[in-house]
Amino acid sequence: MVARSFQVHHNDSTYGVDYDTGDGLEVFKIQIFSLTSIPPDEQKLIGVDENRVLSDDSDLVAISEKLRLVSINEEQQEKSTAENDELLKSDEELARMLQAEEEALLFQQYAVPEDNGKFEGRLGPYVSQVLMYEDLQRQEAARKTVPIEELEEKALVSLAKEGNSTPSKNEQDHAFLLQLLFWFKQSFRWVNAPPCDGCGKETVFHGMADALPSEIRYGASRVEIYRCNFCPIGSRFPRYNDPLKLVETRRGRCGEWANCFTLYCRAFGYESRLILDFTDHVWTECFSQSLGRWMHLDPCEGVYDKPLLYESGWNKKLNYVIGIAKDGVCDVTKRYTRKWHEVISRRNIITEPALSAVLANVTKDCRRGFTSQVLSVLEDRDEKERQELESSLHSTDNASTSLPGRRSGDKEWRKSRLECGSDESCSLSGSSCPVRACVDKHVTEIHNAFLPILSQFVKEKYPKSRAVEVLETLKGILVDLKKSPFKTRRATIDSVSQSLVHQLLPSFTELLNALSMSGKADADGRFDISLAGNAVKTSLALPVALDALDDTINNLNICDYFVEDSLCLPLLKLNRIHSGSVLASGEEIPFGIATSAFDGLRTSKWEEPNGARGCWIKYKVSDNLMHELVAYEIMSANDAPERDPMDWVVEGSNDGESSWHLLDKQTSQIFDSRFQRKTFKISCQGFLSNVFRFRFLTVRDVQSTSRLQLGSIDLYSRSS
């Protein structure tokens, strides 16, 4: 029994409660009922200092003495009132926006000068430019530079990680397009100031020069000159407009990036548009058959389907955003704003009726010669898009997603353009995330597959050095398999390794099965390993097996005595819990999502953008099966040691998360290296749970970061 005194604040009153914590939370609530007349089942108790709701007996031990009492009924009434107020406010805001829009349109009629073809003249060069994307020579040149099979594999693996092992053609095309975007982001180079052509050192802008005939040939009407501070040569930076040349140079700023990436999209058959933002930016849109609509893609930022990026993230004051394609032009500004009434006030080049007429005329010219059937399909889609754009204007923003400021370009240049936004971390993050399914059964199968291998080593009394040598040989075989084409993956064991493989083949069989592969000796005694099942499953599992091998070799090397007693954690990782679902307080999109904590890969991580001072992640077991957690492992991520978790608690629940049982608590944990895995054993035994929660309380250096990140979490249950 631990006697404590609590101060419970409710409305304008404070009540003193003396209490033995060993009596349990329900007894505590009955004492409060006698003082406040609020029934126990209507009480919500919150620790004032921690701002945490008390959910079980362990919270009474850990929580501070100051509590706040909320009546659930009163809270619901307040919430209902707040929602009504919000609806009323929303109606008033809509009325205000419509009024502002009407006033801006009225003002346009009198203040905007007559167009006289200026707007159409501004679009003309871009209409000619997009026609270059239809040139078969340019498309073929673009395709030759793309590692197509690698991107196909990544696309299929990304779908498999989402639980989609049999995607449709449209889903595959959509996933490939995203991988094309990520590849382009890594392969194209942003130019602030080009390195010196002579010595490769930094240069500074020196002015403009006339283009050479060889530069004019590829549309470089402007050439920037850069002076080197270390040698007399310097650098020329022609601003090429022909995407064929850009496929070769692979460098530029947003104009070159969008120009070249749109060619790549057309080269792979995607219906594409070049998007011209009159406030000085360019990007791409593609029609996604999977989504049934046009999708925003910004190659400079590596961001997709986030059209509010510029207004909400960069704080851009948009006016005209025009989509330009081979079959017409379209005003898509409404897709990129939720402040149309403000945008209207800045559209002072041409009146809205005149703009519609110009775009209609240009589109008519683009579609000249199209068959009536094609025209009908295009007009149908135009109408659907018009309705979509109108409805999107009044849709509610997703407040849980934080859109970053501009990331491409020199920091001072971004600041001068006022495009840094308010998100200093420059990331696309979510303050909450959806429930995500873990596709990680293969991770458990791979960990289990090391039991027969290591057991055979022990049985045959291999010295530790010999066991490590065998595992290194096995790793080399898997590396060769990973390098081979994923659709026809195979490897042949060389003569040096053949006797070893034949000797240990029975113990390797389970690992090959986990990789959807099989091995067979031919008439000459060579041993071939090839696909025995789904190629994508092998692609999903091979990186996990390689990481697991590295970890096993490391643990074997630090074993004092390699004997039968060694066949336990951390060397062997049996009874790993898998195939559950995950929910977290936040995540990084798209490369730091919550399921990355459970995918068995070093190359991925869970990142919580606001987790440095506290965050959580929950793992719900599949089919609500009950498990006794006996141990867990946490691995540090690839970089930024200051973001490593340092203090945390692990809890389990078996009653639908109504209450949580404390399973483990850790403080002052330091990860000494990247990808370091730490094993923690649960001291309290016998508690069965079907949901596990990690509450991370602080990171290694909370003063230097707002983020928490970790490479992996693995949960191990007692064997049945």
Side-chain angles (χ1 to χ4, degrees), residues 2-20:
V2 180
R4 295 184 64 187
S5 295
F6 290 94
Q7 289 182 319
V8 181
H9 300 273
H10 176 60
N11 293 338
D12 297 325
S13 302
T14 301
Y15 305 91
V17 182
D18 294 324
Y19 175 68
D20 287 327

mmCIF file of all heavy atoms in Angstrom, residues 2-20:
data_model
loop_
_atom_site.group_PDB
_atom_site.id
_atom_site.type_symbol
_atom_site.label_atom_id
_atom_site.label_comp_id
_atom_site.label_asym_id
_atom_site.label_seq_id
_atom_site.Cartn_x
_atom_site.Cartn_y
_atom_site.Cartn_z
ATOM 1 N N VAL A 2 0.559 2.198 -0.861
ATOM 2 C CA VAL A 2 1.271 3.468 -0.910
ATOM 3 C C VAL A 2 0.267 4.574 -0.635
ATOM 4 O O VAL A 2 -0.657 4.794 -1.417
ATOM 5 C CB VAL A 2 1.931 3.690 -2.293
ATOM 6 C CG1 VAL A 2 2.650 5.018 -2.311
ATOM 7 C CG2 VAL A 2 2.881 2.549 -2.611
ATOM 8 N N ALA A 3 0.416 5.248 0.486
ATOM 9 C CA ALA A 3 -0.521 6.318 0.855
ATOM 10 C C ALA A 3 -0.117 7.599 0.153
ATOM 11 O O ALA A 3 1.050 8.004 0.200
ATOM 12 C CB ALA A 3 -0.521 6.507 2.366
ATOM 13 N N ARG A 4 -1.074 8.215 -0.540
ATOM 14 C CA ARG A 4 -0.797 9.472 -1.235
ATOM 15 C C ARG A 4 -1.966 10.422 -1.063
ATOM 16 O O ARG A 4 -3.105 10.004 -0.847
ATOM 17 C CB ARG A 4 -0.569 9.226 -2.733
ATOM 18 C CG ARG A 4 0.664 8.391 -3.034
ATOM 19 C CD ARG A 4 0.897 8.272 -4.517
ATOM 20 N NE ARG A 4 1.185 9.566 -5.134
ATOM 21 C CZ ARG A 4 1.301 9.750 -6.451
ATOM 22 N NH1 ARG A 4 1.126 8.734 -7.265
ATOM 23 N NH2 ARG A 4 1.565 10.936 -6.936
ATOM 24 N N SER A 5 -1.663 11.703 -1.172
ATOM 25 C CA SER A 5 -2.703 12.733 -1.121
ATOM 26 C C SER A 5 -2.815 13.364 -2.494
ATOM 27 O O SER A 5 -1.815 13.803 -3.073
ATOM 28 C CB SER A 5 -2.350 13.806 -0.079
ATOM 29 O OG SER A 5 -2.334 13.249 1.218
ATOM 30 N N PHE A 6 -4.047 13.388 -3.023
ATOM 31 C CA PHE A 6 -4.296 13.977 -4.339
ATOM 32 C C PHE A 6 -5.143 15.234 -4.198
ATOM 33 O O PHE A 6 -5.987 15.337 -3.285
ATOM 34 C CB PHE A 6 -5.034 12.983 -5.234
ATOM 35 C CG PHE A 6 -4.209 11.806 -5.658
ATOM 36 C CD1 PHE A 6 -4.241 10.620 -4.943
ATOM 37 C CD2 PHE A 6 -3.391 11.886 -6.775
ATOM 38 C CE1 PHE A 6 -3.489 9.530 -5.328
ATOM 39 C CE2 PHE A 6 -2.636 10.791 -7.173
ATOM 40 C CZ PHE A 6 -2.678 9.621 -6.448
ATOM 41 N N GLN A 7 -4.897 16.193 -5.093
ATOM 42 C CA GLN A 7 -5.775 17.356 -5.227
ATOM 43 C C GLN A 7 -6.557 17.195 -6.520
ATOM 44 O O GLN A 7 -5.969 17.147 -7.601
ATOM 45 C CB GLN A 7 -4.962 18.656 -5.275
ATOM 46 C CG GLN A 7 -4.322 19.030 -3.945
ATOM 47 C CD GLN A 7 -3.582 20.356 -4.051
ATOM 48 O OE1 GLN A 7 -2.914 20.628 -5.048
ATOM 49 N NE2 GLN A 7 -3.717 21.187 -3.039
ATOM 50 N N VAL A 8 -7.878 17.102 -6.388
ATOM 51 C CA VAL A 8 -8.739 16.880 -7.552
ATOM 52 C C VAL A 8 -9.511 18.154 -7.849
ATOM 53 O O VAL A 8 -10.322 18.614 -7.024
ATOM 54 C CB VAL A 8 -9.712 15.709 -7.304
ATOM 55 C CG1 VAL A 8 -10.570 15.479 -8.541
ATOM 56 C CG2 VAL A 8 -8.949 14.441 -6.947
ATOM 57 N N HIS A 9 -9.268 18.758 -9.026
ATOM 58 C CA HIS A 9 -9.933 20.004 -9.430
ATOM 59 C C HIS A 9 -11.127 19.661 -10.308
ATOM 60 O O HIS A 9 -11.000 18.908 -11.268
ATOM 61 C CB HIS A 9 -8.954 20.896 -10.215
ATOM 62 C CG HIS A 9 -7.736 21.286 -9.424
ATOM 63 N ND1 HIS A 9 -7.698 22.382 -8.615
ATOM 64 C CD2 HIS A 9 -6.519 20.673 -9.318
ATOM 65 C CE1 HIS A 9 -6.490 22.467 -8.049
ATOM 66 N NE2 HIS A 9 -5.762 21.439 -8.462
ATOM 67 N N HIS A 10 -12.277 20.224 -9.963
ATOM 68 C CA HIS A 10 -13.475 20.051 -10.785
ATOM 69 C C HIS A 10 -14.251 21.357 -10.797
ATOM 70 O O HIS A 10 -14.620 21.889 -9.727
ATOM 71 C CB HIS A 10 -14.357 18.932 -10.254
ATOM 72 C CG HIS A 10 -15.649 18.774 -11.023
ATOM 73 N ND1 HIS A 10 -15.673 18.493 -12.367
ATOM 74 C CD2 HIS A 10 -16.953 18.893 -10.626
ATOM 75 C CE1 HIS A 10 -16.924 18.422 -12.781
ATOM 76 N NE2 HIS A 10 -17.718 18.671 -11.740
ATOM 77 N N ASN A 11 -14.511 21.875 -12.009
ATOM 78 C CA ASN A 11 -15.129 23.196 -12.161
ATOM 79 C C ASN A 11 -14.314 24.208 -11.366
ATOM 80 O O ASN A 11 -13.130 24.354 -11.602
ATOM 81 C CB ASN A 11 -16.593 23.156 -11.747
ATOM 82 C CG ASN A 11 -17.420 22.306 -12.709
ATOM 83 O OD1 ASN A 11 -17.027 22.095 -13.867
ATOM 84 N ND2 ASN A 11 -18.553 21.785 -12.240
ATOM 85 N N ASP A 12 -14.902 24.884 -10.384
ATOM 86 C CA ASP A 12 -14.164 25.901 -9.619
ATOM 87 C C ASP A 12 -13.758 25.404 -8.235
ATOM 88 O O ASP A 12 -13.355 26.208 -7.379
ATOM 89 C CB ASP A 12 -15.018 27.176 -9.470
ATOM 90 C CG ASP A 12 -15.311 27.817 -10.815
ATOM 91 O OD1 ASP A 12 -14.426 27.756 -11.693
ATOM 92 O OD2 ASP A 12 -16.417 28.365 -10.989
ATOM 93 N N SER A 13 -13.898 24.101 -7.991
ATOM 94 C CA SER A 13 -13.617 23.562 -6.658
ATOM 95 C C SER A 13 -12.409 22.632 -6.690
ATOM 96 O O SER A 13 -12.070 22.047 -7.721
ATOM 97 C CB SER A 13 -14.841 22.793 -6.132
ATOM 98 O OG SER A 13 -15.980 23.635 -6.090
ATOM 99 N N THR A 14 -11.760 22.488 -5.515
ATOM 100 C CA THR A 14 -10.637 21.575 -5.340
ATOM 101 C C THR A 14 -10.923 20.683 -4.138
ATOM 102 O O THR A 14 -11.309 21.156 -3.069
ATOM 103 C CB THR A 14 -9.321 22.340 -5.120
ATOM 104 O OG1 THR A 14 -9.077 23.191 -6.240
ATOM 105 C CG2 THR A 14 -8.157 21.371 -4.963
ATOM 106 N N TYR A 15 -10.744 19.378 -4.334
ATOM 107 C CA TYR A 15 -11.024 18.407 -3.278
ATOM 108 C C TYR A 15 -9.731 17.669 -2.927
ATOM 109 O O TYR A 15 -8.984 17.253 -3.813
ATOM 110 C CB TYR A 15 -12.074 17.386 -3.741
ATOM 111 C CG TYR A 15 -13.359 18.010 -4.226
ATOM 112 C CD1 TYR A 15 -13.532 18.324 -5.573
ATOM 113 C CD2 TYR A 15 -14.401 18.301 -3.334
ATOM 114 C CE1 TYR A 15 -14.702 18.906 -6.028
ATOM 115 C CE2 TYR A 15 -15.579 18.881 -3.781
ATOM 116 C CZ TYR A 15 -15.727 19.182 -5.129
ATOM 117 O OH TYR A 15 -16.885 19.762 -5.567
ATOM 118 N N GLY A 16 -9.493 17.503 -1.627
ATOM 119 C CA GLY A 16 -8.352 16.723 -1.170
ATOM 120 C C GLY A 16 -8.775 15.277 -0.951
ATOM 121 O O GLY A 16 -9.785 15.011 -0.288
ATOM 122 N N VAL A 17 -8.003 14.333 -1.520
ATOM 123 C CA VAL A 17 -8.335 12.919 -1.387
ATOM 124 C C VAL A 17 -7.100 12.170 -0.886
ATOM 125 O O VAL A 17 -6.066 12.157 -1.559
ATOM 126 C CB VAL A 17 -8.798 12.308 -2.740
ATOM 127 C CG1 VAL A 17 -9.180 10.851 -2.557
ATOM 128 C CG2 VAL A 17 -9.955 13.105 -3.322
ATOM 129 N N ASP A 18 -7.208 11.588 0.321
ATOM 130 C CA ASP A 18 -6.146 10.714 0.842
ATOM 131 C C ASP A 18 -6.460 9.295 0.420
ATOM 132 O O ASP A 18 -7.580 8.807 0.612
ATOM 133 C CB ASP A 18 -6.079 10.812 2.371
ATOM 134 C CG ASP A 18 -5.627 12.197 2.829
ATOM 135 O OD1 ASP A 18 -4.777 12.788 2.148
ATOM 136 O OD2 ASP A 18 -6.146 12.677 3.857
ATOM 137 N N TYR A 19 -5.420 8.608 -0.094
ATOM 138 C CA TYR A 19 -5.752 7.363 -0.782
ATOM 139 C C TYR A 19 -4.574 6.396 -0.744
ATOM 140 O O TYR A 19 -3.412 6.793 -0.871
ATOM 141 C CB TYR A 19 -6.103 7.705 -2.239
ATOM 142 C CG TYR A 19 -6.355 6.511 -3.101
ATOM 143 C CD1 TYR A 19 -7.470 5.710 -2.903
ATOM 144 C CD2 TYR A 19 -5.441 6.161 -4.095
ATOM 145 C CE1 TYR A 19 -7.684 4.592 -3.688
ATOM 146 C CE2 TYR A 19 -5.657 5.048 -4.878
ATOM 147 C CZ TYR A 19 -6.779 4.265 -4.670
ATOM 148 O OH TYR A 19 -6.985 3.163 -5.446
ATOM 149 N N ASP A 20 -4.883 5.121 -0.543
ATOM 150 C CA ASP A 20 -3.893 4.055 -0.665
ATOM 151 C C ASP A 20 -3.948 3.514 -2.094
ATOM 152 O O ASP A 20 -4.956 2.929 -2.503
ATOM 153 C CB ASP A 20 -4.176 2.917 0.321
ATOM 154 C CG ASP A 20 -3.836 3.303 1.745
ATOM 155 O OD1 ASP A 20 -2.883 4.080 1.904
ATOM 156 O OD2 ASP A 20 -4.525 2.847 2.679
#
